[in-house]
Amino acid sequence: MTFSAGEAAELERIRRRIFLSLFVALAVALHTLEALMPSPAPWFRLGFANILALTALFLYGGRAAWAVSLARIGIGSLVLGNLFSPGFLLSLAGGVAATALMTAAKGLFGRLIGPVGVSVLGAAGHALGQVTVAWLVLVRHDGLWNLLPFFLLFALVTGVVNGVASDLLLELLRGHRAFAGAGGAGPTGGGESAPEN
Amino acid sequence: MTALDRMIVLGLLGAAILSFQLTAPGEAGERVVVEQRGKVIFTAPLNSDRRVALSGPLGETVLVIHDGRVCVESSPCPRKICMGMGEISRNGELLACVPNELLIRVEGGREKEGEYDLLSR
């Protein structure tokens, strides 16, 4: 059976929508799981949920990454019951800073940059955004900035781990038939899925 | 992993190490300052050994100054995090007991004016 050009595009759009919603669902699950894990400080997060935003960025472009991140934080906070609480604000600030940096880096460097680089930048942005908002809203004490080096180092490690995970996931997905048309299947994909958003 | 990825990772590693150096505590401090709800309730020089009991909402927190270092020896707070923070002796270092509303700070020595101006905008 063959598709006409219009039908193929329609199929692609629907596929994309379905996979994005699956990404959001998975990201919410990881977000919730992370909140359940013990952590040395309320802001230390492994950032596994970011793997999905990262994968969406590489498969479908910047707007998809924003959608996954913001939906994940919004729905995740509803699930955890901390919508609009300080923890939610920190989550949002970190998420916005991370996504902004990630989409900017991808837009700027295009095919030169891989998931690991984007992920590390996002993790560092996450740490910076959180400490800034924590300082602005919660504890107006300069001693807070002494935590930043630890956050940055931690972000570096989790960023690399998440980047590698996203790389593996991308490889797996791109090998699948359903993603043959999505960005980055071959050397021509990737950045090119962005402009059509 | 592309070459740019590696450069970014290395660059951020450099930034992290640099930030560790920037926020490294200053030289040995001169005095201990204890704040409660934003007010200074106690100060003492670091070079004379002494033991002092400070009262907070939960009870008395015992502070010990010894050999130019200060630590919390006992505290009525439930999790004893302030006792676990160990000793401080350098300018800018902090001990905090949040439940008992005590903030113990070391001051003096060489001030790190530039950095704090930058950070507090």
Side-chain angles (χ1 to χ4, degrees), chain A residues 20 52-54 56-57 60-70 99 102-103:
Chain A
L20 266 188
L52 280 307
L54 203 57
L57 175 65
Y60 299 124
R63 284 191 44 184
W66 276 108
V68 171
S69 279
L70 292 179
T99 315
M102 292 198 302
T103 48

Side-chain angles (χ1 to χ4, degrees), chain A residues 20-196:
Chain A
L20 266 188
S21 42
L22 284 177
F23 280 9
V24 171
L26 204 51
V28 168
L30 283 173
H31 182 95
T32 316
L33 194 72
E34 267 181 38
L36 295 177
M37 295 216 296
S39 79
W43 312 313
F44 274 131
R45 286 277 179 268
L46 298 174
F48 288 146
N50 202 34
I51 296 172
L52 280 307
L54 203 57
T55 310
L57 175 65
F58 274 84
L59 280 179
Y60 299 124
R63 284 191 44 184
W66 276 108
V68 171
S69 279
L70 292 179
R72 184 257 299 177
I73 293 163
I75 301 172
S77 303
L78 275 177
V79 171
L80 294 174
N82 67 353
L83 198 60
F84 303 124
S85 75
F88 166 77
L89 272 183
L90 289 177
S91 222
L92 186 64
V96 168
T99 315
L101 255 176
M102 292 198 302
T103 48
K106 184 79 178 90
L108 211 60
F109 298 116
R111 300 202 57 74
L112 284 176
I113 198 167
V116 177
V118 175
S119 168
V120 167
L121 274 179
H126 188 259
L128 269 175
Q130 285 205 327
V131 176
T132 308
V133 167
W135 182 76
L136 284 176
V137 182
L138 300 180
V139 229
R140 200 105 199 192
H141 193 286
D142 289 341
L144 195 63
W145 292 100
N146 290 340
L147 286 176
L148 191 60
F150 295 97
F151 277 131
L152 276 182
L153 207 62
F154 188 75
L156 202 64
V157 176
T158 59
V160 170
V161 171
N162 291 341
V164 171
S166 174
D167 210 5
L168 292 175
L169 183 61
L170 279 167
E171 215 163 282
L172 200 74
L173 289 181
R174 280 173 182 166
H176 195 275
R177 212 159 41 90
F179 287 89
T188 53
E192 271 155 54
S193 62
E196 65 169 282

Side-chain angles (χ1 to χ4, degrees), chain B residues 67-107:
Chain B
D67 279 348
R69 299 168 165 275
V70 60
C71 68
V72 177
E73 191 187 58
S74 73
S75 170
C77 56
R79 294 176 67 186
K80 314 285 184 206
I81 291 173
C82 48
M83 289 162 67
M85 288 172 88
E87 296 179 318
I88 57 170
S89 62
R90 293 172 182 279
N91 180 28
E93 284 186 308
L94 282 176
L95 293 176
C97 185
V98 177
N100 217 11
E101 296 182 7
L102 292 170
L103 192 67
I104 299 137
R105 195 170 74 220
V106 173
E107 283 189 347

Side-chain angles (χ1 to χ4, degrees), chain B residues 16-27:
Chain B
I17 291 169
L18 196 71
S19 64
F20 263 111
Q21 304 237 305
L22 279 178
T23 57
E27 293 178 354

Side-chain angles (χ1 to χ4, degrees), chain B:
Chain B
M1 207 192 227
T2 67
L4 189 62
D5 283 0
R6 287 200 191 101
M7 271 165 58
I8 289 170
V9 171
L10 284 180
L12 279 172
L13 189 65
I17 291 169
L18 196 71
S19 64
F20 263 111
Q21 304 237 305
L22 279 178
T23 57
E27 293 178 354
E30 281 166 0
R31 60 187 176 276
V32 185
V33 177
V34 181
E35 276 181 33
Q36 190 168 43
R37 298 190 201 98
K39 280 188 295 188
V40 175
I41 58 164
F42 174 79
T43 57
L46 262 178
N47 53 19
S48 59
D49 291 2
R50 66 184 290 185
R51 177 187 305 261
V52 65
L54 301 159
S55 57
L58 294 181
E60 289 198 329
T61 295
V62 177
L63 209 65
V64 171
I65 304 171
H66 180 69
D67 279 348
R69 299 168 165 275
V70 60
C71 68
V72 177
E73 191 187 58
S74 73
S75 170
C77 56
R79 294 176 67 186
K80 314 285 184 206
I81 291 173
C82 48
M83 289 162 67
M85 288 172 88
E87 296 179 318
I88 57 170
S89 62
R90 293 172 182 279
N91 180 28
E93 284 186 308
L94 282 176
L95 293 176
C97 185
V98 177
N100 217 11
E101 296 182 7
L102 292 170
L103 192 67
I104 299 137
R105 195 170 74 220
V106 173
E107 283 189 347
R110 188 174 54 84
E111 291 293 323
K112 298 198 297 175
E113 287 291 339
E115 278 168 43
Y116 283 101
D117 276 347
L118 180 75
L119 292 171
S120 57
R121 291 194 301 188

